[in-house]
Amino acid sequence: MASDPAPNPHATAEEVEAAWQDPKLANVLYHDWEAGTYDEKWSISYDERCIEYATGRFESVAGKDGWPYETALELGCGTGFFLLNLMQGGVIKKGSVTDLSPGMVQVALNNARNLGLDVDGRVADAERIPYDDNSFDLVVGHAVLHHIPDLPTAFREVLRVLKPGGRFVFAGEPTKIGNAYARKLGQITWWLTTNITKLPALNSWRRPQEELDESSRAAALEAVVDLHTFDPTELEKLVRDAGGVNVQAKTEELAAALFGWPVRTFEAAVPQEKLTFGWRMFAYRAWQRLSWVDENILRGVAPRELFYNVMITGTKP
């Protein structure tokens, strides 16, 4: 970590202006900006709720064979949500984290340290992973592929650092159709919440205007860092062309996404102290029930392209 760049959570106006033309710089600035509050913003935790979510996603697309994996690398780790919860859930023994954002790597390593987990980390570009060939039994990522400019190169790098027979699992990626309705729901919810809370009776539910303005600026930069949406079949082909075998994509969240995106947007638009433990558990349990509907009812009748999230797994020959 000594040679890694330091986090830059307060980008200059000139840096932000340059980021509009440079997706990698935009990713660094945006995620350094968000690192300190990212877990809070997305209701990320390292307890039973998110352990169950992370291990459930992994098992859903890749099964339980091979648990626990001795060594695993997370690309685009963010605050460590996916890898750290998989470690707590018994999927992984020893972990490494990488991210283009120094701020995110710092937070992920702090989270690992607080949880007593064996994790090292590097600031790294997914298109040039700074680990040797055949280093890992598993490579994982959550909501990272849609940020990477050159996906074929990134997948070749993933396969390079995997041991022969090693597995990769990526989850939380937006489908083309799912992204369209999720963004629209988010925009409507943000407008409604920020306007209704202007009413005197609801003013205590309104975040300070400077915080709302900053969130709006972050959302604008988010449009630069979100580079891809995915068709599941096309994603499978991309990974096979890069050299992956036993490749399978699976989608999830339709009813759950139609509920979840307004809820997450509402949570981002109101003061965090208003979001009690009771509220968070209500939102999570409702999401669980709707996910059951997706898995047991809608999956049988709706095309997989309609679901919001795509997950993909495969192995190195």
Side-chain angles (χ1 to χ4, degrees):
M1 286 294 292
S3 62
D4 285 340
N8 177 22
H10 305 293
T12 65
E14 291 76 15
E15 288 172 323
V16 172
E17 184 65 28
W20 289 99
Q21 307 302 322
D22 184 344
K24 288 188 180 181
L25 176 60
N27 262 295
V28 173
L29 297 183
Y30 173 76
H31 288 101
D32 272 6
W33 190 355
E34 293 276 278
T37 58
Y38 196 78
D39 284 350
E40 181 179 75
K41 175 182 177 181
W42 294 103
S43 297
I44 289 171
S45 62
Y46 301 90
D47 55 16
E48 181 182 351
R49 177 175 64 91
C50 283
I51 294 170
E52 181 182 339
Y53 174 86
T55 56
R57 308 286 67 68
F58 190 100
E59 184 178 351
S60 175
V61 70
K64 297 190 73 169
D65 289 347
W67 294 21
Y69 292 84
E70 289 292 329
T71 58
L73 169 69
E74 181 171 17
L75 291 190
C77 63
T79 59
F81 156 73
F82 201 43
L83 180 115
L84 300 184
N85 281 312
L86 289 175
M87 292 182 76
Q88 292 192 105
V91 181
I92 297 162
K93 285 188 176 179
K94 183 182 189 308
S96 299
V97 294
T98 63
D99 200 291
L100 203 57
S101 160
M104 287 296 190
V105 172
Q106 188 177 85
V107 173
L109 291 176
N110 286 340
N111 285 338
R113 193 174 302 113
N114 292 337
L115 294 166
L117 298 175
D118 186 5
V119 177
D120 61 75
R122 294 291 305 277
V123 176
D125 188 331
E127 297 166 13
R128 295 186 297 276
I129 300 173
Y131 289 94
D132 293 337
D133 297 359
N134 308 320
S135 292
F136 298 99
D137 300 292
L138 174 69
V139 175
V140 299
H142 188 277
V144 60
L145 298 181
H146 65 283
H147 294 313
I148 300 172
D150 188 346
L151 282 169
T153 296
F155 269 106
R156 287 193 292 270
E157 279 289 278
V158 166
L159 292 166
R160 179 185 66 77
V161 300
L162 275 174
K163 298 175 183 178
R167 178 171 294 279
F168 57 84
V169 174
F170 291 92
E173 300 296 338
T175 63
K176 292 181 182 294
I177 295 173
N179 182 69
Y181 61 69
R183 286 196 178 277
K184 183 57 65 176
L185 285 169
Q187 290 165 0
I188 293 170
T189 304
W190 182 266
W191 185 89
L192 285 172
T193 305
T194 56
N195 279 279
I196 289 173
T197 52
K198 290 178 180 177
L199 297 172
L202 296 174
N203 198 250
S204 67
W205 283 81
R206 184 172 179 81
R207 286 174 61 186
Q209 189 60 46
E210 59 271 20
E211 291 184 11
L212 293 173
D213 291 342
E214 185 171 7
S215 291
S216 295
R217 290 194 297 273
L221 196 56
E222 190 173 20
V224 182
V225 304
D226 290 348
L227 302 176
H228 309 286
T229 55
F230 299 100
D231 174 273
T233 302
E234 292 173 0
L235 182 59
E236 287 171 334
K237 182 179 185 304
L238 183 154
V239 176
R240 290 191 186 101
D241 289 346
V245 297
N246 305 313
V247 175
Q248 178 188 13
K250 183 176 181 180
T251 56
E252 63 174 358
E253 292 196 32
L254 179 49
L258 294 173
F259 168 80
W261 270 97
V263 166
R264 283 191 286 267
T265 306
F266 168 77
E267 290 176 343
V270 302
Q272 291 301 299
E273 61 268 19
K274 294 291 187 180
L275 304 175
T276 62
F277 176 78
W279 162 265
R280 294 188 187 279
M281 289 309 298
F282 153 75
Y284 177 58
R285 296 304 179 196
W287 177 87
Q288 280 186 314
R289 294 185 183 98
L290 291 171
S291 294
W292 184 94
V293 172
D294 289 335
E295 185 69 25
N296 294 280
I297 300 174
L298 296 182
R299 185 176 300 285
V301 297
R304 67 176 183 168
E305 292 81 7
L306 291 182
F307 289 76
Y308 174 72
N309 273 331
V310 62
M311 306 175 286
I312 191 158
T313 190
T315 58
K316 177 175 179 174

